Amino acid sequence: MSKTSRIAGAVIGMIALAGSLAACGGDSLEKDKGGSAASGDSGKKGSLVVGAAAFTESKVLAELYAQILADAGYSTSVTTVKNRELYEPSLEKGEIDVVPEYAATIAEFLNAKVNGAKAAEEKPVASGDATATVAALEKLATPRGLKVLPAGDAVDQNAFAVTKEFADKNKLTTLSDLGASKLKVKIAAGDECEVRPFCAPGLKKTYGIDVTGIDPKGVGTPQSKQAVKDGKDQLVLTTTTDAVLDSYGLVFLDDDKKLQNADNVLPVLNAKDAGAPDIAEALGKLTQALTTEDLAELNRKVDAERAKPADVAKDYLQSKGLIKK
C-alpha cells in the first residue's frame, strides 16, 4: 500500500464506497489463511475479530493486537480485508471488533464519509498535530459506534531521505536545512508527487526547497532508493517505517515544520463489542511500548527475511514482556 496515497485515498475512496461494497458482497470478511487464531485461556472472556488491511505492516499490527488480547483472556482471530472502504463498515457493524489504524488517515476517511469527499478535501480535520488529529477523529468516530484508543509514538507517515554523504557535505539534518541550502533536488517518488500537497508542492511552499523534477520510480521502492544512492536523484520519498535505508547509505531529513499529517498508530474498536476496559488496557500497553523503529524492524523481518507476521509479533511481545512465554 502506498502511504503517500492514504490521505488522498481516504477522501477519494469514499466516492466509490457503495459500489465497492456491493461488488465485493460477502467476500470482504474471508479469514486470512496465513493469520493466527490465537486463544487465551480458551477464550473465557469471549471472542474478538481483529481486522487487517492487505499490506505487511497492517498484518503485523493485527497479529500484535490479536496475541496481546489472547493473553488477556480472549479468543482472537485475524481477518484480512482488502482496504479501509471495506473493513471500516464491518467495524461499525461489529463484524470486526478492532483494527490497527493511522490517526490522520482514518480521521480524513471518516471526514469524507460524514461530510462528503468534496467538503473533506476543502476542510481537512487532520494535521501534523497528533493530539488535535486524534481529538478530531474521536468526534467523527464516537457517533458511529466506534471507540478510539490513545495514539502512541509509533508513526508511519511520508518521509524524505538523502544519502548520508550528501547530508554530511551540506550539513543537512532537517528539511528546513535543505530549503535554506538552496540546492536543486530531483525527487524519486510516485508520479503523483508532482501534485500532492505533502510532496513537491508542500516541499516548495513549506520549506522553500528547489524541486527541479520528479523521477517516477515509486514510493520507497528499491529503484527509487538506488537512484538517490547513485546520485541520479537527490531526495527519495519513502515512509518513516522504511527499515532498509541504511543498506542504501541513506538517512532521513527531519520534517521539522510538520508538513506531513500525524499518522500515529492507534487502535479503533467497535464500542459495543470491544469497549471493555481490559481490552483498552491490554492494547494500551502495546501502544506505549511500540516505537517507529520497532515497527520498521518488524516490517523488515517479514519483507526481507520472509518471516510470518504471527511469528514476528509473538517474538516482539515476548521480548517486551507483554505476553507470557
Side-chain angles (χ1 to χ4, degrees):
M1 179 183 185
S2 169
K3 303 301 187 299
T4 65
S5 301
R6 273 207 308 237
I7 295 291
V11 175
I12 296 167
M14 289 308 304
I15 298 170
L17 175 59
S20 297
L21 289 171
C24 292
D27 295 334
S28 63
L29 286 181
E30 287 185 0
K31 290 281 190 269
D32 177 11
K33 301 298 189 294
S36 71
S39 180
D41 299 328
S42 301
K44 289 178 181 177
K45 296 182 179 180
S47 62
L48 295 169
V49 177
V50 181
F55 62 98
T56 296
E57 187 171 289
S58 185
K59 292 179 181 180
V60 170
L61 285 165
E63 286 291 348
L64 289 168
Y65 285 15
Q67 292 183 35
I68 202 166
L69 289 170
D71 192 70
Y74 291 88
S75 174
T76 62
S77 60
V78 174
T79 292
T80 299
V81 186
K82 184 178 179 182
N83 54 38
R84 187 174 286 102
E85 286 79 12
L86 295 173
Y87 71 67
E88 191 279 333
S90 294
L91 184 63
E92 288 189 22
K93 294 174 187 173
E95 296 167 344
I96 291 174
D97 300 301
V98 55
V99 294
E101 265 295 0
Y102 302 90
T105 301
I106 185 62
E108 289 303 345
F109 179 89
L110 291 178
N111 186 17
K113 187 170 185 176
V114 172
N115 300 310
K118 185 177 180 182
E121 193 172 353
E122 292 174 351
K123 193 175 180 182
V125 297
S127 68
D129 184 328
T131 301
T133 298
V134 173
L137 169 59
E138 288 174 335
K139 287 181 181 178
L140 290 162
T142 302
R144 307 194 74 82
L146 303 179
K147 181 177 180 179
V148 177
L149 298 185
D153 291 333
V155 60
D156 183 351
Q157 61 194 31
N158 301 314
F160 294 91
V162 297
T163 64
K164 187 176 187 304
E165 181 183 3
F166 186 79
D168 290 344
K169 179 182 177 182
N170 296 290
K171 296 181 172 57
L172 309 176
T173 59
T174 68
L175 289 171
S176 287
D177 292 339
L178 181 57
S181 74
K182 302 303 179 186
L183 293 164
K184 296 182 183 298
V185 298
K186 190 174 182 181
I187 306 172
D191 54 9
E192 71 273 14
C193 178
E194 192 169 349
V195 296
R196 293 281 193 260
F198 56 77
C199 204
L203 291 177
K204 294 174 183 177
K205 181 179 179 181
T206 303
Y207 290 106
I209 294 172
D210 188 356
V211 179
T212 61
I214 309 300
D215 188 3
K217 285 184 163 60
V219 180
T221 62
Q223 294 83 357
S224 283
K225 284 178 274 202
Q226 189 66 43
V228 175
K229 180 182 179 181
D230 293 343
K232 181 180 178 183
D233 304 324
Q234 292 71 48
L235 195 65
V236 62
L237 171 61
T238 182
T239 68
T240 52
T241 56
D242 187 327
V244 296
L245 279 184
D246 286 351
S247 64
Y248 291 89
L250 305 179
V251 293
F252 288 121
L253 292 183
D254 184 43
D255 178 22
D256 52 308
K257 292 184 180 178
K258 298 189 182 300
L259 171 62
Q260 307 303 326
N261 282 333
D263 255 333
N264 296 64
V265 176
L266 79 178
V268 180
L269 321 173
N270 178 286
K272 181 180 178 182
D273 296 341
D278 62 335
I279 292 176
E281 182 182 357
L283 292 174
K285 290 177 182 177
L286 171 61
T287 297
Q288 289 173 13
L290 192 66
T291 67
T292 303
E293 292 74 22
D294 291 342
L295 202 48
E297 178 60 13
L298 294 171
N299 289 341
R300 188 193 65 77
K301 287 180 178 179
V302 174
D303 290 335
E305 298 179 9
R306 298 292 182 260
K308 293 180 180 179
D311 293 338
V312 300
K314 182 178 180 182
D315 290 345
Y316 176 79
L317 291 169
Q318 289 182 342
S319 73
K320 296 292 183 180
L322 294 172
I323 63 171
K324 295 184 289 289
K325 292 187 177 180

